[in-house]
Amino acid sequence: MKEKLVVIVGPTAVGKTALSIEVAKKFNGEIISGDSMQIYRGLDIGTAKVTEAEKDGIPHYMLDILEPHQSFSVADFQKQVQQNIEEIHQKHKLPIIAGGTGLYIQSVLYDYQFAVNERSTEYHEQIESEIEREGIDYVYQRLKRVDPLQAEKIHPNNQRRLIRALEVFDRTGMTMTEYQQKQLEQSRYDFRIVGLQMDRPLLYERINKRVDQMIESGLIEEVNRLYQEGLENTQAMRGIGYKEILPYIKGEQSLEEVIDTLKRNSRRFAKRQYTWFKNKMPVDWYSITGETKNQVFQNILTDLEGFYKEK
């Protein structure tokens, strides 16, 4: 019997943290962060990391597990979170993943095989040499023969995607289309994905307010501390909320300019998150407003009760 797993997704600032706490309280659950930035110690304000008060006694995983200079891949996330899920199940509790990093969450649900997903430098160099000798159209025609569906999606001059599609076929014996479909069909978990959504004007207003609150809470000081520690070029500092503030720290832009940029990038990020979850995962969507939040949360808890009790 597959293990139960609840996943809460949606764009930034929509209310995922608050809902995850309610679900954990209702179903004796523990929460795993599905955010690629909250793994770093010291990146608290810019990542909107859950506070001790907000946790309300609920155990949380995948928070503060790395120093900012350390790298962390999707494969690392997959392995660690699957271990967390097992650990929570052994305590006879319900694991709940809450976050907005779609690819990371998808890798856990569908048990992606990263040995294939990791690109082979040797293979790429081999195909690049073939392109130099024979021309890119020659290689593109081979993709059309082995995987016509992917060939339709890839522009003949997009060398990177062209090589990647051929690499999957040559290393697995499956077309990219077949390989992606197989991975999506297989999951070790019995999961339910709950998605929160808002009308765009309301969500954007919440995002703008959240950025203002981050500034008031000390985001500038947080980024400056990381910059002074020599962490400007790390993976951690490339995240939204950090890279936008650096030009102010370095005296290149005004505070007003970087705040406007952060708000704009956060809004764009929310739009990309929403599109990604809509297109990539089987999500049960719930629309909320400030006035309807409590009622919608109750509806979600009621709906999850049936899922939780299924055997």
Side-chain angles (χ1 to χ4, degrees), residues 39-74:
I39 58 176
Y40 293 111
R41 299 185 190 97
L43 277 72
D44 302 325
I45 300 170
T47 65
K49 194 177 292 177
V50 62
T51 65
E52 288 302 318
E54 288 170 333
K55 288 179 184 177
D56 204 8
I58 303 296
H60 280 64
Y61 299 76
M62 299 302 289
L63 301 175
D64 301 326
I65 63 171
L66 291 180
E67 297 299 334
H69 67 271
Q70 294 178 284
S71 296
F72 199 72
S73 69
V74 187

Side-chain angles (χ1 to χ4, degrees), residues 128-141:
E128 285 168 357
S129 297
E130 188 175 349
I131 290 171
E132 287 181 12
R133 291 194 314 271
E134 308 290 347
I136 196 166
D137 187 62
Y138 176 84
V139 177
Y140 182 72
Q141 292 302 320

Side-chain angles (χ1 to χ4, degrees), residues 65 96 118 134 174:
I65 63 171
I96 302 155
E118 292 171 1
E134 308 290 347
M174 290 183 283

Side-chain angles (χ1 to χ4, degrees), residues 13-14 40 42 57 88 93 97 105 139 142 146 148 154-155 185 188 216 227 229-230 240 252 264 278-279 306:
V14 78
Y40 293 111
I88 294 168
K93 294 192 172 187
I97 299 177
I105 295 172
V139 177
R142 183 157 82 88
V146 301
I154 298 173
H155 190 277
E185 288 171 352
R188 63 172 69 182
E216 291 173 14
Y227 176 71
E229 291 174 5
I240 291 176
E252 298 168 354
R264 184 197 67 209
K278 277 279 189 182
N279 293 334

